[in-house]
Amino acid sequence: MDGTRDVVAVVVAVDSPVGRVATAIDELTTHLPSTGQQLVCPICSARSWPCPPFHDAAHLVIAAGVRLADLVPVDLHLRLWPPATTKQQPWPTEEVSNG
């Protein structure tokens, strides 16, 4: 294994919300850390995760009206949307239940 997550291809209509941001979803998925390595991007030379390429792709996905939480594995949700007791801010325009 090379440190990246296993992925699956899905066929969607090009003019659907997901189809319009397919390239951003591919970029986002490429930068997902592997299980047990949630703090480091597997692509960005030991940058912490979420890395800038993931961040940029995530904002394109959210702007298209696609739920980021549906594209990110559950074990990474707390990293993106920490409990309100921490100082880290959640991703804008998206809320996720942590349970």
Side-chain angles (χ1 to χ4, degrees):
M1 180 169 235
D2 63 1
T4 59
R5 289 199 181 238
D6 290 337
V7 296
V8 63
V10 177
V11 178
V12 297
V14 171
D15 58 348
S16 70
V18 170
R20 289 191 303 267
V21 291
T23 302
I25 292 171
D26 288 344
E27 181 72 9
L28 180 140
T29 304
T30 300
H31 291 269
L32 289 174
S34 61
T35 304
Q37 299 294 320
Q38 288 91 340
L39 302 178
V40 180
C41 174
I43 304 300
C44 291
S45 301
R47 272 191 170 160
S48 65
W49 187 84
C51 59
F54 175 89
H55 188 268
D56 294 345
H59 281 283
L60 291 173
V61 166
I62 292 168
V66 176
R67 282 180 34 91
L68 185 60
D70 293 337
L71 302 172
V72 174
V74 174
D75 65 300
L76 298 174
H77 284 196
L78 284 176
R79 182 93 171 129
L80 293 177
W81 302 283
T85 58
T86 67
K87 293 182 182 190
Q88 191 174 5
Q89 293 297 313
W91 284 73
T93 71
E94 180 145 354
E95 294 179 19
V96 145
S97 71
N98 292 324

